[in-house]
Amino acid sequence: MYQPELVAQSVSGDGPIPARKVYAQVDVAGWEKLNGSGEKGSSFVASVVTAVHYLLQDWLRIDRARVGLIRSKKCFEFPGIEVDRERSLSETVSQFAVPLKTFGDVDDRSVAQDSSLHGLIIDQIEVGDEDGWEQPKDCKCVCVCLLAGDPGFYRLEFTGDLALVQTEDLQYFSDGVMAFLDLLLRDDALSLAAAEEAVQREVFSQVASVRRGSMEVPYGRSLVEAFYAVVEQSPNAIAVVSARERWTYQKLLLEAQALAGSLVNLDLKHQSRIALLFHQEPQMIAAMLAVLMAGHTYVPLSALDPVHRTQAIVANTSCSLVLVGDGIDPELRDLGAAVMSATSIEELGGECQHPVRRGGDLAYVLHTSGTTGAPKGVVQSDLNVMKHVVSYSSSLSISSSDRITLFAALGSDAAVKNVFGAILNGACLCIWDVKRDGLTKVEEWLRGEGVTVWHSTPTLYRAALGVFSQPIGLRWLVFGGEPPRDEDIQSVHLIGGAGCRVLVGYSQTESSTSMQCFPTPSRPRQVMRPCEDVIILLLDEHGSPAAHFGEIAVVSDRVALRYWNNDTLSSSRFLEDPFQGRRRMYLTGDLARRVSGAGVEVIGRRDDQVKIRGYRVEINEIEAFILGIPGVKNNSVIPYENSDGNIILAFIQRADGHEEVSDDLIFELAREGLPEYMVPSNVYIVDEFPLLKNGKVDRRYLIENIHEVKIKKESHTDESDIEFVVRYIWEQVIGVNNISIDDNFFKIGGHSLMAARINSEISTFFDIDIPLCVQMKRGDIRSMSILIKEIGLKSDVDVEYSAHVIRESLSS
């Protein structure tokens, strides 16, 4: 069925052609502003020549490059120009601009305006013979052509000989040129030495580590063995911190070993599944390591999930034990398996020999939303987790000096990368529990901890953005779980600072991060490219490779092993290596189009799966739950994108004689029976469903003609100043106008991250400290206002004046 030769042809997106091409566009306006009256001499044409020539010499060790203009057929050969690395970029560009004056008809304006002009070409590169570069003289290795782009843009075309230049090399070379131009545009007074260092740091050092990998992963090595090596090297370094505790690597090791000894003494079968139910604290990391040390497999649970869902996970994986952490609600402990607290089980410990762990042992079973109405478990091995960690570490150049955030729950793929990416590199894992601690103090805490890598969903990032007063100086801001918006990427300096870079990861629990991109504020477009040792195929509806559009298939030796206890689903999603190698292929269900070389742009799904605040949600699971409610005849659940991201709409048809089924009843039962991110934001009762000609529900009609926020016509004349201010904050955060003071927060589109943002806004405005868990129990504006009055306001908080100012601003 699979034809590898066709795959090789389709990588370029243009069929069997002898060259690879990569394109980039640059905004003309920025360069016109930089040039001004032309006194600086930093023309765009000269800047491109400078960037390309410098990078060809530095990166490919090119001795000479010929620069020509296709239209006039003029040509000038650049020798290897010696430049002073302490001179500014502007001065360096001027040096390159002098010989360009022989091209009398080359200037920025002609290139930008003449749609027929095939502007500048840098061609016929002569390659040196040092360090293994022994190519024939005058070979056409790389060609850079300046073309007329879209209105208001320059367009650069990078072409590489198929036999000599890999697509990823060509893409990274073009990224280097664009990074150089970005630096010149931002600060042309920067020295060439500083620019060289920045380009190396931002592009080429990154590329080298991604392509080669910086850590070895010998077959058979386990996560525990790797952790032991880190502890031996840095026992007193800080391993994990939270808002409440700080543990060194030595303490983390001792805590994990003590708990592991207790687990060994229980004499459980090798590789038993042990469920973990913990708050986001260092104790959770110790428990995870203890399970691995004892030779078992961990199954993360969430204290926020409904009990019946947690019971389903425990039953599905046949857990031998549920290990619970300090402070867990006792009501959550009736889970269908033996339950023991991590503190009390240590009393069973003692001296014992921990079993030898192998790379092929099962590390975890993570659960995601399932199409049948029940969560499905994804199984992964130590060796594959190690490979993912190596790739993640290489992409970010993680070292022992890094301090990496953990916002995600332990049961997420993001947590796997952050936890092991930190503790297997000797870095510090910085845990912040948004659900417990909100966002009010997160800036102060992260700044105090010196965090260098922030990893979160874009939704959490946007919620936190409003509470930051100034940047905290990050190296990296990593987005995952859902695609960020352009404005997210363009605002990273507000949290990360001027030197912060952005990585956007494309991942699933089944394959972890398989593609990534590095957008910048000036180039926010997210064109994904494969990670190290990953092949990305696009498959058509017949499962054959497609050149331009299709379902994303991840081919790698580190995709998940299978779904737990679901052979049918496993065999349909995990396939053999189409290239007859040792890799395996995972069918993601995502649709994409190929846009440049090996790059793809994700554009949707071939099913009803959707991402809600980074969580993968199968619409069928929600529909199955609602259909199980007595009195429900039929329902249609529809994802809908609003200003905050995706939300869930539920349309319900009652069975005859069941008038008691109301939107309030469905909403309350959904809150009790579904994870918070699956609860519909809006529930509507319909008499019947509108149908299309093919018999399917007309979802567009339901959205356009039924879905609307319940706007109250009341004038709010009787509300107090406190109620007015709270309502104003709610409306700004949720993005809904005319909220009633009795509207339920969750029924008008609110969710936990919005609650954290509101908590921060209210705490700041009224100068009071309200625990997020207390606020969450006050589900409307009226009860929230009463709580504020009960706590009491300080004498210097003038609510009446502030409310007056807000009303005046709204009226104007």
Side-chain angles (χ1 to χ4, degrees):
M1 182 171 81
Y2 298 101
Q3 302 179 48
E5 64 275 10
L6 294 181
V7 176
Q9 293 173 5
S10 70
V11 166
S12 67
D14 297 310
I17 60 175
R20 303 178 188 272
K21 294 179 184 291
V22 173
Y23 297 95
Q25 288 204 133
V26 183
D27 188 353
V28 172
W31 287 93
E32 290 180 343
K33 181 178 179 181
L34 174 66
N35 294 336
S37 61
E39 295 177 356
K40 293 186 178 181
S42 299
S43 75
F44 181 67
V45 172
S47 299
V48 172
V49 174
T50 304
V52 172
H53 188 266
Y54 161 70
L55 290 170
L56 288 176
Q57 282 188 292
D58 183 71
W59 184 49
L60 292 181
R61 295 180 174 83
I62 301 303
D63 291 333
R64 292 179 301 187
R66 192 169 64 177
V67 180
L69 187 71
I70 296 176
R71 184 176 63 178
S72 63
K73 298 184 179 178
K74 294 180 180 179
C75 179
F76 179 86
E77 185 174 280
F78 272 110
I81 296 180
E82 293 294 330
V83 294
D84 183 350
R85 296 177 71 252
E86 298 307 317
R87 297 180 72 183
S88 70
L89 290 180
S90 178
E91 293 171 323
T92 304
V93 169
S94 297
Q95 181 180 358
F96 277 84
V98 171
L100 280 174
K101 292 180 179 179
T102 58
F103 302 142
D105 50 358
V106 177
D107 60 70
D108 292 351
R109 191 169 299 280
S110 65
V111 173
Q113 295 179 353
D114 188 348
S115 60
S116 65
L117 176 66
H118 280 246
L120 178 73
I121 182 170
I122 300 177
D123 195 355
Q124 298 298 328
I125 293 162
E126 186 172 312
V127 182
D129 58 0
E130 48 188 337
D131 291 341
W133 283 89
E134 298 179 355
Q135 304 295 344
K137 298 292 184 182
D138 295 324
C139 66
K140 183 177 180 180
C141 184
V142 178
C143 166
V144 183
C145 188
L146 179 60
L147 310 174
D150 296 338
F153 287 89
Y154 298 120
R155 189 181 192 210
L156 290 173
E157 176 189 87
F158 299 81
T159 305
D161 190 298
L162 185 64
L164 300 175
V165 181
Q166 297 297 317
T167 301
E168 65 174 8
D169 292 328
L170 189 63
Q171 180 62 52
Y172 293 135
F173 176 73
S174 72
D175 287 347
V177 172
M178 300 306 291
F180 192 99
L181 295 177
D182 278 349
L183 287 171
L184 180 58
L185 191 61
R186 294 201 303 265
D187 183 8
D188 66 345
L190 198 68
S191 71
L192 181 62
E196 176 183 339
E197 181 181 349
V199 172
Q200 289 288 339
R201 181 178 66 252
E202 294 186 9
V203 181
F204 294 108
S205 63
Q206 161 74 18
V207 170
S209 63
V210 169
R211 296 214 317 260
R212 293 193 301 267
S214 59
M215 298 164 53
E216 292 185 0
V217 187
Y219 184 80
R221 191 181 190 189
S222 71
L223 293 166
V224 171
E225 183 182 351
F227 176 67
Y228 284 152
V230 172
V231 178
E232 182 178 359
Q233 185 174 2
S234 306
N236 297 319
I238 301 298
V240 55
V241 299
S242 71
R244 300 162 184 84
E245 296 187 78
R246 305 177 69 83
W247 288 15
T248 64
Y249 272 93
Q250 185 67 30
K251 178 173 175 57
L252 179 59
L253 173 66
L254 295 176
E255 293 286 342
Q257 286 180 328
L259 187 54
S262 301
L263 293 174
V264 170
N265 287 334
L266 292 177
D267 200 24
L268 301 175
K269 182 180 177 181
H270 180 61
Q271 291 198 69
S272 291
R273 274 73 57 205
I274 297 181
L276 302 179
L277 186 55
F278 285 77
H279 288 307
Q280 300 280 91
E281 292 290 343
Q283 186 189 37
M284 172 185 73
I285 309 302
M288 179 194 71
L289 288 169
V291 171
L292 298 176
M293 290 176 181
H296 301 310
T297 303
Y298 72 88
V299 181
L301 303 175
S302 172
L304 300 176
D305 280 353
V307 173
H308 79 87
R309 180 181 175 86
T310 303
Q311 291 171 334
I313 293 174
V314 171
N316 177 56
T317 49
S318 303
C319 288
S320 301
L321 176 68
V322 178
L323 203 57
V324 299
D326 297 340
I328 294 296
D329 188 343
E331 294 182 2
L332 296 177
R333 299 188 177 188
D334 183 17
L335 302 176
V339 177
M340 301 187 71
S341 73
T343 302
S344 63
I345 196 176
E346 291 185 5
E347 299 174 0
L348 303 176
E351 294 296 327
C352 63
Q353 183 68 37
H354 294 175
V356 175
R357 191 169 182 88
R358 305 295 184 187
D361 288 350
L362 305 186
Y364 61 67
V365 182
L366 302 188
H367 283 77
T368 68
S369 182
T371 57
T372 62
K376 57 179 180 281
V378 178
V379 184
Q380 193 56 288
S381 68
D382 279 35
L383 181 62
N384 284 0
V385 173
M386 288 281 290
K387 291 177 179 178
H388 287 303
V389 171
V390 168
S391 178
Y392 185 64
S393 302
S394 297
S395 295
L396 302 181
S397 300
I398 296 175
S399 71
S400 59
S401 62
D402 277 306
R403 303 177 77 83
I404 303 170
T405 62
L406 177 62
F407 295 116
L410 188 62
S412 67
D413 173 65
V416 174
K417 289 193 284 281
N418 292 330
V419 170
F420 289 110
I423 67 174
L424 298 190
N425 282 291
C428 177
L429 183 69
C430 299
I431 303 174
W432 184 265
D433 191 339
V434 176
K435 301 293 175 63
R436 294 175 70 192
D437 301 321
L439 293 171
T440 305
K441 299 178 180 179
V442 67
E443 177 192 355
E444 177 185 355
W445 187 78
L446 294 178
R447 189 187 308 280
E449 293 297 339
V451 165
T452 59
V453 179
W454 169 302
H455 187 163
S456 78
T457 63
T459 303
L460 175 58
Y461 166 81
R462 287 192 289 271
L465 189 60
V467 306
F468 272 69
S469 60
Q470 55 184 336
I472 59 175
L474 300 170
R475 283 201 315 112
W476 285 96
L477 202 154
V478 182
F479 287 123
E482 59 188 350
R485 301 168 182 169
D486 287 357
E487 54 264 34
D488 296 332
I489 296 168
Q490 291 162 347
S491 66
V492 295
H493 64 282
L494 297 177
I495 287 182
C500 179
R501 293 196 64 200
V502 179
L503 183 150
V504 178
Y506 169 82
S507 64
Q508 308 82 26
T509 307
E510 291 87 343
S511 62
S512 194
T513 301
S514 53
M515 292 191 291
Q516 57 193 13
C517 65
F518 304 91
T520 65
S522 61
R523 291 180 290 145
R525 187 181 181 187
Q526 296 163 49
V527 177
M528 295 290 176
R529 291 183 173 83
C531 295
E532 180 186 9
D533 299 329
V534 173
I535 297 174
I536 297 295
L537 304 181
L538 299 185
L539 305 181
D540 61 22
E541 63 272 20
H542 305 295
S544 299
H548 302 291
F549 173 83
E551 178 183 359
I552 298 174
V554 178
V555 183
S556 172
D557 63 354
R558 58 181 191 240
V559 299
L561 306 183
R562 63 183 185 278
Y563 292 115
W564 183 268
N565 199 27
N566 195 332
D567 293 340
T568 301
L569 184 60
S570 296
S571 61
S572 67
R573 309 306 295 173
F574 297 101
L575 307 180
E576 296 299 319
D577 186 348
F579 305 101
Q580 287 78 50
R582 298 176 60 181
R583 296 163 298 200
R584 297 167 67 243
M585 182 166 68
Y586 168 64
L587 306 181
T588 66
D590 288 329
L591 299 176
R593 59 170 170 256
R594 204 173 294 281
V595 292
S596 63
V600 301
E601 209 165 31
V602 183
I603 58 176
R605 290 284 303 176
R606 68 177 184 84
D607 54 23
D608 289 332
Q609 187 185 106
V610 66
K611 288 290 187 74
I612 305 291
R613 305 194 296 282
Y615 292 96
R616 193 166 74 181
V617 175
E618 297 281 2
I619 295 300
N620 289 349
E621 183 173 352
I622 304 174
E623 290 181 333
F625 173 82
I626 294 176
L627 196 60
I629 297 174
V632 173
K633 179 180 180 180
N634 201 358
N635 74 101
S636 179
V637 174
I638 304 174
Y640 177 81
E641 185 172 3
N642 66 7
S643 60
D644 187 58
N646 285 322
I647 61 173
I648 298 294
L649 309 179
F651 298 87
I652 312 298
Q653 183 181 19
R654 292 181 289 215
D656 293 341
H658 285 274
E659 301 301 319
E660 77 281 1
V661 176
S662 65
D663 55 349
D664 288 338
L665 175 66
I666 298 297
F667 178 76
E668 291 303 325
L669 292 176
R671 286 197 65 191
E672 294 174 6
L674 291 171
E676 186 255 349
Y677 55 87
M678 288 189 184
V679 176
S681 297
N682 299 85
V683 179
Y684 301 101
I685 303 297
V686 299
D687 294 330
E688 58 183 19
F689 285 108
L691 302 178
L692 299 170
K693 291 182 179 180
N694 60 9
K696 294 183 179 180
V697 173
D698 189 342
R699 294 186 169 190
R700 177 175 294 182
Y701 179 90
L702 292 174
I703 292 173
E704 294 179 352
N705 295 276
I706 297 178
H707 171 57
E708 59 182 11
V709 177
K710 299 176 180 178
I711 299 177
K712 300 295 188 297
K713 302 301 183 181
E714 58 191 73
S715 64
H716 302 290
T717 54
D718 296 331
E719 68 183 355
S720 67
D721 290 330
I722 291 179
E723 290 170 340
F724 169 76
V725 172
V726 174
R727 178 169 64 84
Y728 173 76
I729 293 173
W730 278 36
E731 289 177 352
Q732 295 301 304
V733 173
I734 302 175
V736 175
N737 294 324
N738 285 320
I739 298 175
S740 166
I741 63 173
D742 295 312
D743 276 342
N744 183 282
F745 171 75
F746 294 100
K747 290 190 66 177
I748 56 174
H751 54 68
S752 58
L753 293 181
M754 285 184 178
R757 172 75 183 281
I758 288 172
N759 178 264
S760 175
E761 297 282 352
I762 288 177
S763 297
T764 301
F765 188 94
F766 293 104
D767 194 18
I768 57 177
D769 187 11
I770 303 177
L772 182 58
C773 59
V774 174
Q775 175 191 302
M776 296 282 280
K777 296 177 182 179
R778 304 294 180 113
D780 56 57
I781 293 171
R782 188 188 302 276
S783 59
M784 173 61 68
S785 301
I786 293 173
L787 175 63
I788 293 172
K789 292 177 183 178
E790 291 173 349
I791 294 175
L793 299 177
K794 296 180 181 179
S795 59
D796 58 346
V797 178
D798 192 341
V799 179
E800 180 180 358
Y801 175 75
S802 299
H804 170 74
V805 171
I806 295 173
R807 288 189 177 100
E808 286 293 314
S809 65
L810 292 176
S811 63
S812 62

